[in-house]
């Protein structure tokens, strides 16, 4: 899994015409902006699967811990 290419895929699904930055930080900001302004509604299963994989990978890379009582 490549975070940069996954972000590009998700951005393209949200807005096929937008210019995608090459910088990863800028690409992440663009993705978050598009998600925040997207109208509510169902997304295709392939989009949801890719988004879930991306977010899981990012969480693992940050070293987030699952804390249960």
């Amino acid at each position: 899994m490549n975070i940069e290419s996954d972000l590009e895929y998700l951005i393209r699904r949200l807005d096929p015409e937008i210019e995608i930055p090459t910088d990863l930080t800028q690409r992440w900001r663009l993705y978050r902006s598009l998600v925040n302004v997207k109208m509510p509604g169902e997304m295709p299963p392939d989009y949801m699967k890719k988004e879930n994989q991306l977010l899981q990978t990012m969480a693992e890379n940050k070293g987030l811990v699952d804390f249960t009582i």
Side-chain angles (χ1 to χ4, degrees):
M1 172 181 277
N2 181 319
I3 291 175
E4 290 182 6
S5 63
D6 289 347
L7 277 172
E8 182 174 351
Y9 170 83
L10 295 171
I11 291 168
R12 287 277 176 237
R13 294 299 304 261
L14 294 167
D15 186 344
E17 303 297 320
I18 200 159
E19 183 177 334
I20 299 178
T22 56
D23 177 68
L24 181 58
T25 301
Q26 293 300 318
R27 196 174 283 202
W28 173 251
R29 286 183 183 155
L30 175 60
Y31 166 73
R32 292 294 302 146
S33 297
L34 291 172
V35 169
N36 285 334
V37 297
K38 182 184 104 33
M39 294 298 292
E42 288 191 40
M43 293 298 288
D46 60 318
Y47 176 93
M48 297 303 295
K49 182 178 179 182
K50 182 69 76 174
E51 182 180 59
N52 186 48
Q53 290 172 342
L54 173 68
L55 296 175
Q56 290 293 325
T57 299
M58 293 178 77
E60 289 169 7
N61 288 345
K62 284 190 174 195
L64 299 178
V65 179
D66 183 11
F67 181 79
T68 56
I69 298 176

